[in-house]
Amino acid sequence: MAKRFELIVFDWDGTLMDSTGAIVASIKAAARDLGLEPPSDERANHIIGLGLIDALRHALPDLPRELYQDVALRYRQHYMARDHELLLFDGVEGLIDELADAGYMLAVATGKTRKGLDRAFEVSGLGSRFHASRCADECHSKPHPQMLEQLMDEFGVAPGATLMIGDTTHDLLMARNAGVPALGVAYGAHPRESLEAQAPLFCAADVAELAGWLRQQA
């Protein structure tokens, strides 16, 4: 049977790597370091997937503009102190291997910086499986479609033959803005009802369910 998709693009945090808790804790710790009221868990979860400065503007909207870089520095220090402890979700490594063996082109579109993604690739051992990636310090932050547009241009793949997979509404809105079909995963940062409100093709409860849909539908 012919493949429905040629290019499958994954978000990273909360989709492939179980890093949501570390991101939320690091944002809140960075705010406390500077004597600021930390954002609620709900607000901190909502901004996961955005570029860091955009995320901090949403998480700490009343902060003077000149202090965002200070908070970003503290955030990176807290996150780097624990990122070596982070693990891929159960089943992710096998899923990526299966998709690569089946001949799909695989890519990552993430709110991480290039330095952060390269470190995550190294820690996880997954870097060699992906054909390309785009980061928030190289492109407009999600939900702007630039990451997906550049990846599709790089491989010469049409929007209808591209699939975006992510755990946040930012991922699904980016896909919509690029004219790309999308899957939501409900085990990451944003709740299922928020993801389903963006009308993805499917919303997976776990990696096993995601893998099953991809085997049958992709």
Side-chain angles (χ1 to χ4, degrees):
M1 184 179 295
K3 292 185 179 68
R4 180 178 179 183
F5 301 106
E6 300 173 42
L7 172 62
I8 300 179
V9 184
F10 288 90
D11 170 58
W12 188 267
D13 292 307
T15 299
L16 298 180
M17 181 161 275
D18 189 4
S19 47
T20 298
I23 293 171
V24 169
S26 297
I27 290 171
K28 297 177 82 164
R32 292 191 195 98
D33 284 351
L34 296 176
L36 306 171
E37 181 69 23
S40 66
D41 284 353
E42 182 179 6
R43 181 177 283 272
N45 267 305
H46 181 73
I47 55 84
I48 292 173
L50 300 175
L52 180 55
I53 297 300
D54 284 339
L56 293 175
R57 289 188 182 121
H58 283 80
L60 302 165
D62 299 325
L63 188 67
R65 180 182 298 269
E66 63 269 17
L67 293 182
Y68 282 116
Q69 288 294 343
D70 293 337
V71 180
L73 176 62
R74 296 296 184 117
Y75 166 82
R76 291 188 181 102
Q77 291 170 342
H78 284 287
Y79 188 84
M80 291 281 284
R82 63 174 72 199
D83 76 339
H84 64 284
E85 302 171 357
L86 302 178
L87 299 173
L88 299 170
F89 286 105
D90 288 344
V92 161
E93 189 169 6
L95 171 60
I96 297 301
D97 283 344
E98 182 177 342
L99 294 172
D101 290 345
Y104 293 99
M105 289 179 283
L106 303 177
V108 170
T110 178
K112 287 183 172 300
T113 62
R114 170 55 57 189
K115 182 177 180 180
L117 182 61
D118 285 348
R119 182 176 171 87
F121 276 163
E122 181 179 0
V123 169
S124 67
L126 277 190
S128 63
R129 272 80 149 191
F130 292 99
H131 300 90
S133 56
R134 291 296 186 277
C135 300
D137 58 344
E138 301 167 338
C139 298
H140 291 297
S141 183
K142 302 171 186 178
H144 193 284
Q146 188 181 27
M147 291 187 195
L148 287 175
E149 289 171 345
Q150 288 192 0
L151 289 166
M152 290 187 289
D153 285 347
E154 180 172 341
F155 294 108
V157 177
T162 302
L163 179 66
M164 177 68 206
I165 302 174
D167 70 310
T168 72
T169 55
H170 313 305
D171 298 310
L172 303 186
L173 286 167
M174 176 177 66
R176 179 184 295 174
N177 291 337
V180 168
L183 302 182
V185 298
Y187 51 80
H190 288 189
R192 174 181 286 273
E193 56 268 25
S194 297
L195 299 173
E196 290 180 338
Q198 300 304 322
L201 297 177
F202 181 67
C203 193
D206 52 31
V207 175
E209 197 167 78
L210 173 63
W213 189 95
L214 290 170
R215 289 186 194 108
Q216 294 295 320
Q217 303 290 335

